[in-house]
Amino acid sequence: MSRWRPPSAASTALITPEGHARLKTELDDLWRVRRPEVVRALSAAAAEGDRSENAEYTYRKKQLGEIDRRVRYLSKRLESLRVVDTVPSDADAIFFGAYVELEDTDSGELARYRIVGPDETDARAGWISIDSPLARAMLKKRVDDEFEAQLPAGPVRFAVVAVAYRSA
């Protein structure tokens, strides 16, 4: 058995204005606050002498590497993202940025989702990536439309109850 895996599909480069601001804030915090703190702690640990047995030094080096890796990722990602801050011309259909209320046609359960970019998903808040199977299945649907989504647990039928582009 080999370790080779097919490359993952490129994620959609769309983001909401709030998500873009959150990523910029994270990058700024990492670069201006956390990184200087870790560099100071690393230099203090290095001054303690033998680095081969210095757990603090090893930990800080690893922490600095993680921060630098995230800074590089965010810097490149922010350049490639396209901020979507307009409502589509057909506001009755489901597109990027929509708040959608769905009803599971089998159980009658209601669920509320917002379709966002892959960089800002939050399961607890109901924010799902536009690349997810559920979001792909509901794109271009309207209120009272029914559709089937292939979810990990199997196919599920939904009915669209409401579509909005501003939080209600």
Side-chain angles (χ1 to χ4, degrees):
M1 175 179 274
S2 73
R3 291 178 160 263
W4 183 85
R5 287 184 178 50
S8 59
S11 60
T12 305
L14 299 176
I15 195 165
T16 62
E18 306 90 44
H20 190 261
R22 213 171 12 261
L23 289 181
K24 284 183 80 167
T25 302
E26 180 186 355
L27 176 61
D28 190 54
D29 179 61
L30 285 171
W31 189 249
R32 297 184 193 278
V33 179
R34 293 208 35 228
R35 191 175 193 284
E37 288 172 0
V38 171
V39 168
R40 275 192 296 278
L42 178 64
S43 109
E48 291 177 10
D50 186 12
R51 295 179 185 170
S52 66
E53 296 178 11
N54 189 336
E56 178 72 13
Y57 178 79
T58 306
Y59 171 72
R60 295 299 180 175
K61 285 283 288 187
K62 183 177 178 186
Q63 194 177 25
L64 185 62
E66 290 169 358
I67 290 172
D68 287 345
R69 195 169 15 266
R70 183 70 178 162
V71 165
R72 269 192 313 276
Y73 171 78
L74 288 174
S75 298
K76 287 181 181 180
R77 187 68 178 162
L78 283 168
E79 289 175 6
S80 68
L81 290 172
R82 185 168 64 95
V83 179
V84 177
D85 57 355
T86 58
V87 175
S89 57
D90 185 4
D92 295 331
I94 300 171
F95 294 105
F96 182 84
Y99 290 89
V100 183
E101 190 168 347
L102 300 177
E103 178 183 356
D104 183 327
T105 56
D106 295 333
S107 68
E109 275 186 58
L110 290 176
R112 187 167 169 80
Y113 299 103
R114 182 176 187 201
I115 300 176
V116 295
D119 297 294
E120 52 187 330
T121 60
D122 182 357
R124 280 180 263 131
W127 290 21
I128 61 172
S129 170
I130 192 163
D131 296 331
S132 70
L134 179 58
R136 289 279 179 213
M138 73 171 88
L139 286 176
K140 299 182 183 175
K141 303 294 186 275
R142 299 170 179 280
V143 174
D144 295 331
D145 283 357
E146 288 192 13
F147 66 93
E148 185 173 289
Q150 289 294 333
L151 303 181
V156 181
R157 290 204 54 78
F158 293 100
V160 179
V161 176
V163 178
Y165 284 91
R166 301 284 179 243
S167 179

